[in-house]
Amino acid sequence: MRLSIAQIETKLNQKFFNLEKITRYVREARRQQSDLVVFPELCLTGYSIGPWLAEAAESLDGPCMCYMKALCREEGIHVLYSFPEREQERYFVTTALINDRGEVLGIYRKTHLFDEERVFFSSGSELPVFETRFGTIGIMSCFDLEFPEVARILRLKGASMILIPTSNMQPYKEYQLIYTQCRAMENEIPVALCNRIGFEGEIAFIGESTFVDGYGKTHAFLCDKEEIVTFPVLLFRGTDPKIRRILNGEAGLFEQLLHQTKRSSNQTAGGLM
């Protein structure tokens, strides 16, 4: 397959401006003969959208989703794009994978919310994988990258590649590439990360989107400007039997981790009462 990473700058709470830019980059990706293009986290609205969620968030059948489905069908391309989703009285940081026929293959709701995101959004509770004609794809979103358990679960569910839309900012520049390489190497699968650029108030987004193969080798690394890159990708899962044995882990150790996590959570909750 041919994969595109569209590193763009978005304008806060200007959905139609952002949608027009997304459209231009989708068409440019198709001109570059891409099969799938990845956009940054919350590319539809901008990152700091919390105070405006009531009017900016959309349901899964909202007008922007309908537009994106039609665009994918028209251009014959898969798109991964992120938006604030409304479900009844709750909001999620949601990523949708749409195929080249305009069908939503599935959505992922961000499970690990960062800082003030927790004020406005609810956490997702599932880590799905999605079957495509290219292979099985897993999705993470920004802060999820810092938790190795997320990528491990996706790998164990059969993912042959992980796509990560992000809104990563200063001072976390060094974290991004290191964690991307780690998630790829420890699971022996390629990882594509699409970050954004620009500013929102005092927040400076760092860009530096990247693609790392299952051996940890970086094949694409963008700087801090708006651009799109397209390259061939071979979806595979590693076959090193020694690494695979490590990946299988020790069930008892992970049970201890789960026990300690629950214990810590209970102690924290008790301290707040």
Side-chain angles (χ1 to χ4, degrees):
M1 66 174 291
R2 287 179 61 81
L3 177 70
S4 294
I5 293 176
Q7 179 173 281
I8 63 173
E9 179 177 5
T10 57
K11 288 189 177 182
L12 182 59
N13 199 24
Q14 295 192 33
K15 290 165 62 173
F16 296 107
F17 174 90
N18 297 329
L19 201 59
E20 190 276 333
K21 179 176 286 190
I22 290 168
T23 300
R24 285 192 283 112
Y25 275 86
V26 166
R27 288 173 176 161
E28 175 58 23
R30 197 68 193 104
R31 191 189 69 79
Q32 296 180 14
Q33 299 182 322
S34 177
D35 297 299
L36 190 159
V37 56
V38 184
F39 287 93
E41 182 184 63
L42 292 174
C43 59
L44 180 63
T45 58
Y47 175 70
S48 307
I49 193 62
W52 300 278
L53 279 175
E55 54 266 27
E58 295 191 5
S59 65
L60 294 178
D61 59 356
C64 290
M65 177 66 85
C66 292
Y67 175 86
M68 290 300 301
K69 290 164 63 176
L71 178 65
C72 291
R73 185 168 56 249
E74 173 188 333
E75 298 297 329
I77 191 172
H78 292 62
V79 170
L80 189 84
Y81 101 110
S82 175
F83 65 101
E85 178 200 352
R86 178 194 298 111
E87 185 188 57
Q88 298 179 349
E89 300 302 316
R90 297 194 298 168
Y91 301 99
F92 299 93
V93 179
T94 296
T95 302
L97 178 60
I98 307 172
N99 70 12
D100 55 358
R101 296 186 297 276
E103 302 164 339
V104 178
L105 297 181
I107 63 163
Y108 167 65
R109 291 169 170 169
K110 186 176 184 178
T111 51
H112 295 83
L113 299 175
F114 177 72
D115 197 33
E116 291 189 3
E117 293 171 11
R118 290 172 290 191
V119 175
F120 301 103
F121 293 99
S122 298
S123 296
S125 58
E126 298 181 6
L127 298 171
V129 295
F130 307 99
E131 299 299 328
T132 75
R133 60 185 176 90
F134 315 113
T136 305
I137 292 177
I139 299 171
M140 295 158 57
S141 188
C142 205
F143 196 39
D144 291 330
L145 177 64
E146 301 196 20
F147 299 88
E149 299 86 356
V150 179
R152 179 60 47 83
I153 290 170
L154 295 175
R155 168 69 162 81
L156 291 174
K157 285 186 173 183
S160 49
M161 180 168 67
I162 296 176
L163 305 177
I164 312 175
T166 69
S167 292
N168 195 24
M169 73 253 331
Q170 294 286 12
Y172 305 108
K173 186 175 184 178
E174 285 73 20
Y175 294 61
Q176 184 169 281
L177 180 59
I178 292 173
Y179 283 141
T180 304
Q181 291 172 321
C182 287
R183 300 298 89 87
M185 293 177 71
E186 66 199 9
N187 294 292
E188 291 192 291
I189 55 174
V191 175
L193 180 146
C194 181
N195 196 26
R196 60 160 294 181
I197 61 165
F199 294 84
E200 287 182 8
E202 296 181 353
I203 301 175
F205 299 99
I206 63 171
E208 298 193 353
S209 302
T210 188
F211 175 78
V212 179
D213 70 20
Y215 301 109
K217 182 178 180 181
T218 301
H219 292 266
F221 184 78
L222 284 63
C223 295
D224 58 354
K225 65 179 182 179
E226 199 167 65
E227 61 179 317
I228 183 170
V229 293
T230 302
F231 44 86
V233 173
L234 176 63
L235 272 66
F236 73 97
R237 285 174 284 176
T239 57
D240 186 329
K242 297 183 287 297
I243 296 294
R244 191 163 61 248
R245 174 67 184 87
I246 295 171
L247 289 179
N248 290 336
E250 298 291 342
L253 293 177
F254 288 113
E255 288 175 1
Q256 292 179 44
L257 174 63
L258 181 60
H259 174 74
Q260 287 298 123
T261 301
K262 289 181 177 179
R263 182 179 178 183
S264 297
S265 297
N266 290 337
Q267 289 175 344
T268 302
L272 294 175
M273 294 177 63

